[in-house]
Amino acid sequence: MTPTTSSWVEGAAGSGFDVDHLPYGVFARSGERPRVAVRIGDQVLDLSIVAAADMVDTHELFDQPTLNPFMAAGPAVWESTRAWVTGLLTDQTERDLVEPALAPLDSVTMLLPFTVGDYVDFYASEHHASNVGRMFRPDSEPLLPNWKNLPVGYHGRSGTVVVSGTDVVRPCGQRKAPTDELPTYGPSQRLDIEAELGFVVGVPSAMGERVATADFARHTFGVVGLNDWSARDIQAWEYVPLGPFLGKSFATSISAWVTPLAALQAAWTDLPGQDDPPVLDYLRVDGPAGIDIEVEVVLDGEVVARPPYRTMYWSPAQMLAHTTVNGASLRTGDLWASGTISGAEPDQRGSLLELSWGGKEPFTAGGRERTFLEDGDEVTLRYSAPGTGGGRLTLGEVTGRILPAR
Ligand code: MN
């Protein structure tokens, strides 16, 4: 583990955004074009300004409205950039260069950090899949037969991935409870969240090629917080036989900040275990493939769940390998989500569906009994992980508010 080093930027030490983190994002200020920044403490560092002033040969990667060109540049550029930024923010003699490029976070607007390519959502938590199985198919085994053989996923809608802070309009659609004779149309009455992590592809792969689990870090740029907003009544009626569609596609929120994999070196941990049944060769991983990230689900200003990411059955490397095992190519900006993160305990469940057990067992938030989301509700997902400096990183938070149906 590297020794603890702090930035000279005031407020960085102990903030979760010190030099052991350095997440990337895209910011805008009125009248200026969007550019790439890293976050240090409560400030954004405009990388395009310092890179040009410091004559960094990749400076054009930062004078961009998305992270895509930088993400596509690959691990050598990611590594040299991180080393360069770390130097700027820890070496006092760089202050004259850096200070003009710093701005308070609350003086800028954070934008969607990258153009999303394909968006896939997995279902990697055994606890979540089992809970949903018990509720949706009470008369059969909680897990379907394939669940421990392959990471189950579906293709989502990349065009409705939005940045944290974007309002979400309550979706309308068809719903039909088992006891209803006919479906009806109207606003979802069982609007929900799914607390997840998202992983973003930097380096593409060619069609016809497979990406091995061991090549995960060569292709994966980093991690975002992700809320897979879900209309359970629409989903329950539509999802057989081809999976979720309109119950999910109306909105997916991600954090404004992308934590690079390099910041998560102290967070790798063993998977819970995949011996029964053993996985096929292309899904095997060597060493710690799970990630120790703590999640908090905040509703009405109250933490209602603390899902632990380390309990996930399938690792991100396995999800990536599975995505490409048929020769499907990767593009820069492809986003894959983990699926709802739920632990074994009732207060570790990452969806309101589970926290209220299908709406039958209300829970308390903000001093009231709650089941599904109400208009005006604000949900915030918070994430933290051990940093290489010995403290904790604050990963990108995801927030969104529900507006009435239109
Ligand atoms: Mn999901």
Side-chain angles (χ1 to χ4, degrees):
M1 192 169 287
T2 53
T4 303
T5 311
S6 254
S7 174
W8 51 260
V9 173
E10 200 178 324
S15 67
F17 296 97
D18 204 341
V19 286
D20 58 349
H21 191 184
L22 302 178
Y24 294 93
V26 172
F27 76 100
R29 249 184 316 222
S30 62
E32 299 176 14
R33 63 183 186 277
R35 298 188 295 274
V36 171
V38 297
R39 179 167 173 177
I40 181 75
D42 283 331
Q43 312 231 40
V44 293
L45 171 62
D46 183 336
L47 285 188
S48 73
I49 290 184
V50 281
D54 215 13
M55 292 183 286
V56 172
D57 58 9
T58 55
H59 66 92
E60 285 175 359
L61 297 176
F62 309 118
D63 194 0
Q64 301 280 346
T66 71
L67 291 175
N68 293 55
F70 176 56
M71 297 196 304
V77 171
W78 307 340
E79 197 178 320
S80 63
T81 300
R82 187 169 173 83
W84 165 65
V85 173
T86 301
L88 294 177
L89 291 170
T90 51
D91 184 346
Q92 293 275 358
T93 66
E94 302 281 11
R95 289 180 79 130
D96 288 349
L97 173 75
V98 172
E99 278 174 340
L102 289 172
L105 185 59
D106 60 11
S107 71
V108 303
T109 303
M110 297 307 299
L111 306 179
L112 189 69
F114 52 92
T115 302
V116 183
D118 284 291
Y119 167 50
V120 176
D121 189 24
F122 283 93
Y123 198 43
S125 160
E126 182 174 0
H127 302 294
H128 172 71
S130 301
N131 287 336
V132 172
R134 284 189 195 102
M135 280 183 267
F136 278 39
R137 299 180 303 275
D139 301 324
S140 49
E141 284 293 310
L143 292 182
L144 290 170
N146 60 4
W147 197 88
K148 288 194 171 181
N149 296 110
L150 54 85
V152 170
Y154 67 92
H155 272 80
R157 193 169 194 86
S158 53
T160 50
V161 176
V162 295
V163 70
S164 173
T166 306
D167 291 336
V168 173
V169 175
R170 179 180 297 273
C172 291
Q174 282 198 31
R175 56 277 209 284
K176 179 188 161 313
T179 50
D180 295 342
E181 193 180 335
L182 295 169
T184 56
Y185 172 85
S188 170
Q189 292 161 2
R190 290 162 72 89
L191 186 56
D192 198 357
I193 58 137
E194 292 195 338
E196 308 195 13
L197 278 186
F199 300 85
V200 57
V201 170
V203 176
S205 67
M207 210 169 149
E209 278 181 12
R210 288 186 284 277
V211 174
T213 55
D215 288 333
F216 169 75
R218 290 207 303 125
H219 290 273
T220 307
F221 176 73
V223 178
V224 291
L226 187 144
N227 185 348
D228 172 23
W229 303 96
S230 299
R232 301 300 181 191
D233 40 1
I234 298 171
Q235 180 188 355
W237 170 229
E238 76 179 357
Y239 88 106
V240 177
L242 287 182
F245 184 30
L246 303 183
K248 302 276 197 175
S249 63
F250 57 94
T252 304
S253 299
I254 63 170
S255 58
W257 295 104
V258 184
T259 295
L261 281 192
L264 291 171
Q265 281 173 9
W268 292 105
T269 185
D270 288 329
L271 293 173
Q274 300 180 327
D275 303 325
D276 182 26
V279 296
L280 290 171
D281 279 347
Y282 81 91
L283 289 170
R284 281 187 198 284
V285 288
D286 285 326
I291 315 181
D292 182 15
I293 293 178
E294 298 284 342
V295 187
E296 288 183 335
V297 179
V298 182
L299 171 63
D300 238 353
E302 190 172 318
V303 177
V304 295
R306 290 187 167 83
Y309 195 81
R310 65 179 172 277
T311 61
M312 299 295 269
Y313 190 87
W314 293 105
S315 72
Q318 292 172 317
M319 298 181 227
L320 187 64
H322 188 64
T323 299
T324 61
V325 74
N326 62 350
S329 51
L330 299 175
R331 289 185 293 176
T332 301
D334 280 358
L335 172 67
W336 81 97
S338 61
T340 308
I341 308 159
S342 290
E345 303 303 322
D347 62 356
Q348 295 179 331
R349 293 170 177 164
S351 69
L352 306 186
L353 176 75
E354 293 164 273
L355 288 168
S356 70
W357 206 255
K360 291 181 190 140
E361 299 172 15
F363 60 96
T364 306
R368 293 188 297 131
E369 287 213 325
R370 304 301 308 264
T371 55
F372 293 97
L373 292 173
E374 299 169 10
D375 292 344
D377 273 344
E378 186 168 77
V379 177
T380 300
L381 307 179
R382 298 189 199 130
Y383 302 80
S384 72
T388 55
R392 289 192 77 78
L393 314 178
T394 305
L395 276 68
E397 117 177 348
V398 189
T399 190
R401 195 163 52 99
I402 303 302
L403 300 185
R406 291 174 187 160

